[in-house]
């Protein structure tokens, strides 16, 4: 395709996006001079055009031009008198060797396309990290750069990183690369060791792979600590990308300040952007994860809620542990009880996983459910604003039992009861506690509920 034809096609598309005045002022007199190694050189009439196009229209130019060509380009704006003799030679035809880097795909970017934002289970323990990841995916290089995710293994860091990459690939023409820090070091070692004397082809290929991207995602950065040369190369790669407003996403099993094995200059740069911690999922999120994981099972609707709660209670560290427990329960039920999952089957299947610190403990959610069943009210009513006696009194009893049978604080309990103020929770607790001294019927109710719990 002739450069003139290509640029005219581009101008027709950009004209649809901006006002006629803006088009006539900034685009009408521009020309596509050349394309070479992924760089498109645009001729502009005045120096003012260079600055204004770079600062105000570069994103639009990249999006429209790359959509037309099916490739990713960088852009430079020059006056005609700035072109040297070599550049002045018109390139009339675009070949497949010179049109830049093809669109990325999940496979080429080393991404697992099964990891998306849609199937990431969000709870209080990961909501901040999820929100930050979405912001980065929607505006890579602009929202938070770098984005540093940290937390123990199995909490969803890798899922979020893949989700970011998959979202960007699906919604833009940007080049994405996901690797572990180990792969980064291995690639660097290979480039150095296989570099022939006075020939830097392997090094150049390495730099091209990691620096000619729009989004670089590095997992398990803590393993970079044992590679001194790898740290140095990553330092230079980081600087190159960051200075070019390319997005960097990093994950670790510990916080930036705890990465003592890394050089100070790296840790300083990791703190330039946003750090987000992912903690172990709380009970409510664990229950949601289990329901999601078993939803494909034909018998899922027949599994008692107490089984789900039991699994959630004794597996409180990470998602992988939950997945293993679910698999074990279903396998045990298939072998020992014709596939029927009951609480007794779950207890037997997971008995070796129950330790002194991991027991089927009483928790707010379970207490709320049992109180609701006893008084025949809905859980939504218990958490709602309704103050009629038939709802308010059971709510006060539930609050009392939660305080007596769990370690939750009054402010925390308030969040479980419709976001009530801690003073309201304290008042409810004290009322039931006072009534118990003289109300024999209430004593019987509390005793029966405790037995059920």
């Amino acid at each position: 395709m002739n450069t003139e034809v290509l640029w005219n096609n581009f101008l027709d598309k950009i004209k649809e996006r901006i006002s006629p005045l803006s088009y006539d002022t900034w685009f009408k007199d521009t020309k596509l001079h050349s394309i070479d190694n992924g760089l498109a050189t645009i001729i502009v009439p005045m120096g003012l055009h260079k600055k204004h196009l770079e600062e105000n229209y570069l994103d639009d130019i990249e999006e429209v031009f790359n959509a037309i060509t099916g490739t990713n380009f960088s852009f430079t704006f020059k006056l005609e008198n700035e072109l040297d003799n070599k550049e002045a030679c018109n390139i009339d035809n675009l070949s497949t060797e010179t049109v830049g880097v093809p669109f990325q795909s999940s496979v080429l970017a080393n991404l697992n396309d099964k990891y998306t934002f849609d199937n990431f289970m969000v709870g209080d323990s990961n909501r901040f990290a999820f929100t930050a990841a979405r912001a980065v995916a929607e505006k890579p290089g602009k929202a938070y750069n770098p984005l540093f995710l940290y937390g123990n293994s199995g909490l969803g860091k890798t899922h979020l990183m893949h989700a970011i990459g998959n979202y960007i690939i699906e919604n833009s023409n940007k080049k994405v690369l996901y690797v572990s820090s180990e792969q980064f070091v291995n690639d660097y070692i290979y480039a150095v060791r296989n570099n022939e004397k006075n020939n830097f082809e392997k090094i150049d290929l390495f730099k091209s792979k990691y620096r000619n991207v729009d989004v670089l995602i590095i997992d398990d950065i803590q393993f970079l600590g044992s590679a001194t040369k790898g740290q140095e190369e990553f330092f230079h790669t980081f600087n190159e990308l960051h200075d070019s407003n390319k997005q960097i996403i990093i994950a670790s099993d510990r916080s930036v300040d705890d990465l003592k094995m890394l050089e100070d200059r790296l840790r300083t740069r990791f703190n330039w952007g946003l750090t987000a911690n992912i903690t172990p999922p709380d009970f409510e999120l664990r229950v949601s994860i289990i329901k999601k994981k078993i939803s494909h099972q034909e018998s899922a609707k027949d599994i008692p809620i107490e089984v789900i709660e039991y699994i959630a209670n004794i597996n409180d560290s990470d998602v992988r542990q939950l997945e293993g427990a679910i698999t074990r329960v279903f396998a045990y039920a298939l072998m020992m009880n014709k596939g029927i999952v009951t609480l007794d089957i779950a207890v037997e299947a997971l008995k070796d996983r129950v330790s002194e610190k991991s027991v089927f403990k009483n928790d707010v959610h379970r207490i709320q459910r049992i109180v609701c069943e006893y008084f025949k009210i809905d859980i939504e009513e218990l958490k709602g604003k309704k103050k009629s006696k038939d709802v308010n009194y059971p709510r006060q009893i539930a609050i009392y039992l939660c305080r007596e049978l769990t370690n939750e604080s009054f402010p925390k309990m308030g969040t479980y009861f419709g976001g009530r103020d801690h003073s309201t929770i304290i008042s409810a607790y004290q009322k039931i506690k006072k009534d118990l001294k003289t109300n024999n019927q209430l004593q019987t109710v509390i005793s029966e509920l405790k037995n059920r719990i």
Side-chain angles (χ1 to χ4, degrees):
M1 183 186 293
N2 184 279
T3 54
E4 183 178 354
V5 174
L6 175 59
W7 194 245
N8 286 337
N9 192 4
F10 164 82
L11 292 176
D12 288 338
K13 298 292 183 183
I14 203 73
K15 189 185 298 185
E16 298 172 0
R17 300 186 130 201
I18 60 178
S19 68
L21 178 61
S22 295
Y23 173 80
D24 289 339
T25 304
W26 304 111
F27 286 93
K28 184 178 180 181
D29 297 320
T30 61
K31 297 177 182 178
L32 172 62
H33 170 66
S34 64
I35 293 178
D36 188 24
N37 294 325
L39 178 66
T41 301
I42 311 302
I43 299 175
V44 295
M46 294 185 294
L48 179 62
H49 285 70
K50 294 168 59 175
K51 179 177 175 62
H52 192 82
L53 289 173
E54 287 176 347
E55 293 182 354
N56 297 282
Y57 288 104
L58 187 57
D59 286 348
D60 289 316
I61 293 171
E62 288 179 346
E63 185 177 341
V64 173
F65 194 83
N66 293 342
I68 293 172
T69 60
T71 58
N72 278 346
F73 288 96
S74 298
F75 291 83
T76 182
F77 303 92
K78 292 189 175 184
L79 300 174
E80 197 151 7
N81 60 14
E82 291 178 324
L83 301 174
D84 58 29
N85 291 333
K86 182 177 180 180
E87 290 177 318
C89 298
N90 288 326
I91 301 175
D92 292 326
N93 295 297
L94 301 178
S95 67
T96 56
E97 289 79 21
T98 61
V99 292
V101 181
F103 279 34
Q104 280 281 13
S105 68
S106 293
V107 174
L108 294 175
N110 296 330
L111 294 169
N112 186 335
D113 58 10
K114 294 181 180 179
Y115 290 139
T116 66
F117 289 121
D118 290 338
N119 59 27
F120 185 85
M121 301 296 293
V122 182
D124 291 340
S125 61
N126 58 25
R127 191 179 307 279
F128 180 70
F130 175 84
T131 304
R134 278 300 299 256
V136 166
E138 290 170 1
K139 291 189 176 181
K142 295 181 179 180
Y144 306 107
N145 198 18
L147 174 64
F148 188 96
L149 303 173
Y150 71 97
N152 293 334
S153 177
L155 298 181
K157 302 187 301 296
T158 299
H159 186 140
L160 277 182
M161 298 176 88
H162 283 267
I164 293 171
N166 286 322
Y167 184 94
I168 293 172
I169 285 175
E170 184 177 348
N171 293 279
S172 74
N173 300 327
K174 294 185 181 298
K175 295 171 288 182
V176 178
L177 179 63
Y178 167 90
V179 294
S180 65
S181 63
E182 181 182 16
Q183 182 63 54
F184 178 87
V185 172
N186 289 340
D187 285 351
Y188 178 68
I189 293 174
Y190 174 82
V192 172
R193 288 181 177 175
N194 291 275
N195 207 43
E196 298 178 3
K197 187 176 181 181
N198 297 324
N199 182 356
F200 294 96
E201 180 182 357
K202 300 294 184 184
I203 296 294
D204 290 341
L205 287 174
F206 170 84
K207 291 181 177 180
S208 176
K209 174 179 178 178
Y210 286 99
R211 301 184 188 184
N212 189 29
V213 294
D214 299 300
V215 182
L216 178 61
I217 306 174
I218 298 282
D219 209 348
D220 293 322
I221 198 67
Q222 68 272 10
F223 294 129
L224 197 63
S226 58
T228 303
K229 291 293 185 182
Q231 288 190 52
E232 182 177 354
E233 181 56 36
F234 186 70
F235 172 78
H236 295 302
T237 298
F238 183 101
N239 287 343
E240 181 84 15
L241 293 172
H242 195 274
D243 290 346
S244 302
N245 294 319
K246 306 301 185 182
Q247 182 66 52
I248 305 163
I249 303 159
I250 302 167
S252 171
D253 65 355
R254 64 205 73 174
S255 69
V256 174
D257 294 336
D258 288 330
L259 291 171
K260 304 298 185 183
M261 74 295 292
L262 294 186
E263 297 176 3
D264 289 343
R265 59 180 181 173
L266 275 178
R267 285 189 282 130
T268 297
R269 279 158 175 76
F270 293 168
N271 276 318
W272 280 355
L274 179 69
T275 61
N277 185 19
I278 302 179
T279 58
D282 58 20
F283 175 81
E284 188 173 358
L285 180 56
R286 297 198 300 274
V287 168
S288 297
I289 291 171
I290 293 170
K291 288 180 178 179
K292 178 72 174 179
K293 296 293 183 183
I294 67 174
S295 60
H296 68 281
Q297 299 283 348
E298 292 183 4
S299 59
K301 64 179 182 298
D302 300 322
I303 297 175
I305 184 64
E306 56 261 31
V307 171
I308 295 173
E309 291 180 344
Y310 179 74
I311 297 173
N313 269 312
I314 69 169
N315 298 275
D316 58 0
S317 62
D318 61 66
V319 177
R320 293 192 189 113
Q321 187 187 62
L322 278 178
E323 292 174 339
I326 294 167
T327 301
R328 188 178 179 116
V329 168
F330 273 93
Y332 193 86
L334 187 62
M335 291 185 288
M336 307 300 294
N337 201 35
K338 298 180 180 180
I340 301 173
V341 179
T342 65
L343 181 58
D344 289 340
I345 286 293
V347 171
E348 184 66 23
L350 302 175
K351 62 183 179 181
D352 60 335
R353 295 194 177 198
V354 181
S355 64
E356 293 181 358
K357 294 183 179 180
S358 175
V359 296
F360 187 30
K361 57 182 178 291
N362 299 312
D363 58 76
V364 172
H365 305 277
R366 187 164 182 269
I367 292 169
Q368 288 176 331
R369 181 177 59 79
I370 291 173
V371 170
C372 286
E373 290 175 352
Y374 182 88
F375 287 100
K376 294 180 172 53
I377 61 174
D378 292 333
I379 192 74
E380 289 78 12
E381 291 181 305
L382 192 77
K383 296 179 180 180
K385 298 184 181 300
K386 192 175 180 181
K387 293 184 178 181
S388 59
K389 187 176 180 180
D390 61 326
V391 173
N392 196 44
Y393 202 55
R395 182 187 297 130
Q396 292 171 339
I397 289 174
I399 289 171
Y400 171 82
L401 289 170
C402 289
R403 178 61 177 175
E404 289 291 313
L405 301 178
T406 75
N407 294 321
E408 298 288 2
S409 65
F410 285 123
K412 181 66 174 177
M413 284 170 55
T415 65
Y416 294 121
F417 284 86
R420 284 175 165 78
D421 184 82
H422 74 281
S423 61
T424 303
I425 301 298
I426 294 173
S427 177
Y429 170 74
Q430 291 177 340
K431 173 175 172 46
I432 299 300
K433 187 177 181 179
K434 180 181 178 181
D435 288 353
L436 276 172
K437 294 177 180 180
T438 58
N439 190 329
N440 293 331
Q441 184 179 0
L442 178 60
Q443 291 172 5
T444 301
V445 171
I446 294 295
S447 178
E448 186 173 343
L449 285 169
K450 283 184 175 180
N451 288 334
R452 293 191 183 190
I453 295 169

